[in-house]
Amino acid sequence: MVDIHCHILHRFDDGSSSLEESLAMARMAVDSGVTDIVATPHFPGQRASLRRISRLLERYKELSQAIAREGIPLQLHHGAEILCMADTLELAEQNMLPTIGDTSYFLAEFYFDEHYSFMDEMLRALVAAGYTPVVAHPERYDAIQHDPLVLERWFRRGYVLQLNKGSVLGAFGSRVQRTARTILDAGLAHIIASDAHSASHRTPHMGQLTQWLAHHLDADYARILVEDNPARLIRGESMTPAQ
Ligand SMILES: [Fe+2]
């Protein structure tokens, strides 16, 4: 499995709090069948954040080296989860914001109460600037919970829709879980990722998720969500529609 959304970098955001915790997260992911993780720390899409890029790269290098030193069979990829706000588009147009690996995939998140119109305009503009948006956890946004099938528009435009493991499993409450289920049943999800933040809760272990998928979805669909599409994404390839 490939996990494209994980706060595994130490001491950068509200994710891993130490290099030791990051290594514990790496081992945990591997134990559950993960081969690759994209490190996607929170990164506000504003000019003031740019000075943090050198620290991000430093942490990424430290963790990659530690994973190799410890002999953990895990490939780390660089990335960031960009919180989209007013400045974001200008910075994206200037190629100043990190994407996933060396691809044009742009992991975009929004404030939970963001207006649909802002999200829609931002995603269109990112495409016009040459990126392929990956919408992080659409099921967690109020506007999407209100009308999950509005995602058909984004799906048709080729944006990648990434659900969270915790949403599917009910960790964020019944409304989020119901929304995730509606999106899955409509065949609108491309990928499920851990969005892990620690080694103790919201972890990168995928065992519970794969069990849930085995009980609730057909095997091909489940494989596309946690294996095929995330692997295609880190190679910069287009998505296989889930259904
Ligand atoms: Fe996240």
Side-chain angles (χ1 to χ4, degrees):
M1 274 178 286
V2 174
D3 186 2
I4 66 141
H5 182 166
C6 187
H7 298 262
I8 193 171
L9 282 197
H10 49 300
R11 293 185 291 112
F12 189 84
D13 61 0
D14 59 344
S16 166
S17 58
S18 65
L19 184 60
E20 291 65 38
E21 182 168 27
S22 299
L23 290 171
M25 290 170 76
R27 288 194 183 93
M28 204 175 245
V30 166
D31 284 348
S32 69
V34 173
T35 57
D36 295 71
I37 287 182
V38 186
T40 53
H42 289 293
F43 198 91
Q46 58 189 356
R47 199 160 286 280
S49 304
L50 297 179
R51 59 189 159 77
R52 303 180 70 213
I53 286 183
S54 56
R55 196 190 316 159
L56 190 155
L57 294 174
E58 198 179 292
R59 295 274 195 277
Y60 173 75
K61 201 171 149 197
E62 267 176 24
L63 181 56
S64 300
Q65 287 172 346
I67 286 172
R69 195 173 56 234
E70 296 289 318
I72 303 169
L74 179 76
Q75 181 66 47
L76 201 63
H77 304 260
H78 55 85
E81 180 182 20
I82 313 288
L83 176 61
C84 293
M85 48 182 78
D87 283 0
T88 305
L89 183 61
E90 192 190 334
L91 298 176
E93 282 170 339
Q94 295 166 4
N95 273 320
M96 299 183 92
L97 295 174
T99 56
I100 292 183
D102 297 318
T103 75
S104 65
Y105 284 115
F106 185 106
L107 183 62
E109 79 163 337
F110 297 94
Y111 290 112
F112 291 143
D113 61 352
E114 188 59 83
H115 293 288
Y116 175 80
S117 56
F118 177 86
M119 296 195 268
D120 194 65
E121 279 165 32
M122 176 64 68
L123 294 168
R124 278 177 189 273
L126 284 170
V127 172
Y131 298 95
T132 305
V134 181
V135 182
H137 42 66
E139 73 282 4
R140 300 192 72 191
Y141 305 133
D142 295 343
I144 305 301
Q145 290 165 2
H146 182 69
D147 181 12
L149 296 183
V150 78
L151 291 178
E152 279 173 7
R153 286 183 214 162
W154 292 356
F155 185 92
R156 275 200 302 270
R157 283 188 221 148
Y159 311 160
V160 179
L161 303 174
Q162 176 256 302
L163 306 187
N164 275 7
K165 172 184 78 154
S167 304
V168 173
L169 296 176
F172 304 115
S174 59
R175 190 163 194 230
V176 174
Q177 189 180 31
R178 206 166 48 241
T179 307
R181 189 66 202 260
T182 303
I183 296 167
L184 284 172
D185 289 348
L188 296 173
H190 292 98
I191 290 176
I192 305 177
S194 75
D195 196 5
H197 277 66
S198 83
S200 53
H201 72 292
R202 294 185 74 181
T203 77
H205 197 284
M206 299 297 260
Q208 244 186 305
L209 175 70
T210 49
Q211 275 176 20
W212 189 96
L213 294 173
H215 282 107
H216 294 88
L217 300 185
D218 76 65
D220 286 345
Y221 191 7
R223 195 195 63 246
I224 288 171
L225 292 167
V226 295
E227 294 184 34
D228 298 358
N229 273 341
R232 293 176 69 84
L233 189 135
I234 57 173
R235 294 195 298 260
E237 297 169 5
S238 58
M239 297 292 97
T240 300
Q243 274 188 339

